[in-house]
Structures are given as C-alpha cells and as structure tokens.
Amino acid sequence: MVNFKFVSSLIICLFLTSSVPATHKFYTSITQIDYNEKSKSFEIIMRVFVDDLEKSITNQRKKNYKIANDLDNKLLNNYLTDKFLIQANQKTLQTNVIGTELERDILIIYLEASSTSNANTLRIKNSVLTELFPSQTNIVNINFMQKKETFVCNTDQPEKILLYN
C-alpha cells in the first residue's frame, strides 16, 4: 500500500512546481482618502496591482505603457483624471499625482485634491481598471468631517454620494 503522506507530498510538490503562471485571480484596489483640515486638501493613497494598471493604460493609449518609463506621472495622471473623481458640493476637484512607490507587485499612488472643509456633499467615483476587468472592485475608505466611511465601487456602481451635515 502506498504511503498516504508520500502521495500527498508528491501532489503538493507537483502543484507548487507546475508551469502555471503566478498571477493573481482577484481584481481589487484600495483607496484611502483623508481630509487634512490644516492644508484644506484631500490626501489620497491608492493601491493597485501594477500589471493590471499597465495593461489598462496600454489598452487606453493603444501603445505599450510601463510605470518605470512614466517618470513625471503624466500618463498616470491622465488615466486617473478619467477614472477617479472627487466632487465637493457638485464642484469637481482637480486631483494630482504627487508621487508613486512600488511595493512588490503593488503600485502605491499618492494624490492630492484641494477643497474646502464646508462641503456637505461629496461624490466619489472610482472606476479604476473596471474597463478592462469587469470583476474589479475598488474599496474606498474616507475620513471627512470626523466621519469614517467605507464603500465599494465597481462596474455596476462606480460612484458613491456621501452626505454630511
């Protein structure tokens, strides 16, 4: 009789050494939005898979895109202008990429948007990567006016309106 532990170990080894590429099978980004009362601006940190973002921008531009070649973040900023939006009292705020950082296969994008603290309505749109990946979910955490909220944007619901009193 064949030893069960041996067969189990063999199956695990075959699975781990198979030629299947090591790609992720879920499509999620996380965005943190914090309002800085002192500077009267939203400080935004977005985390996305670098390969997905490169595919999406390549698809949009019809030309190969690599994060490493976008030294001034101009192409990334253009992409995000179309896909990520904050409105305060129905006024669209200009978001600017102020830096990026690569952490393994995740690109951390730092953005900023100036605003006023007296907004009673915010509209957040986050449709990053949804044009390429229909199952993409974008988790958004926001801290504004001493209120913390979390919601999900996706292909079916790319935006959320938040009311503050």
Side-chain angles (χ1 to χ4, degrees), residues 54-112:
E54 288 176 339
K55 284 179 196 171
S56 192
I57 295 175
T58 294
N59 194 44
Q60 181 188 53
R61 296 180 62 231
K62 308 292 186 234
K63 189 175 177 185
N64 193 32
Y65 174 81
K66 291 290 179 192
I67 295 291
N69 298 336
D70 190 10
L71 299 178
D72 61 358
N73 297 315
K74 183 178 179 183
L75 298 172
L76 177 60
N77 211 20
N78 289 343
Y79 174 80
L80 290 175
T81 296
D82 185 42
K83 302 295 177 184
F84 182 78
L85 171 89
I86 299 178
Q87 283 184 341
N89 294 338
Q90 300 177 345
K91 179 185 176 215
T92 301
L93 307 180
Q94 182 177 346
T95 56
N96 294 305
V97 175
I98 56 174
T100 60
E101 186 179 347
L102 193 58
E103 190 176 274
R104 294 188 187 162
D105 57 348
I106 303 290
L107 183 67
I108 303 169
I109 307 165
Y110 300 95
L111 302 111
E112 191 171 53

Side-chain angles (χ1 to χ4, degrees), residues 11 13 20 22 30 36 44-45 49-50 60 68 76-77 81 88 108 120 126-127 129 146-147 149:
I11 290 171
C13 286
V20 176
I30 299 174
N36 184 325
I44 305 149
I45 302 172
F49 285 103
V50 109
Q60 181 188 53
L76 177 60
N77 211 20
T81 296
I108 303 169
N120 55 14
N126 190 343
S127 62
L129 303 177
Q146 292 85 38
K147 191 174 179 184
E149 297 196 47

Side-chain angles (χ1 to χ4, degrees), residues 15-26 49 51-52 55 105:
F15 177 74
L16 292 175
T17 59
S18 68
S19 62
V20 176
T23 58
H24 60 92
K25 294 185 181 177
F26 61 95
F49 285 103
D51 59 332
D52 294 342
K55 284 179 196 171
D105 57 348

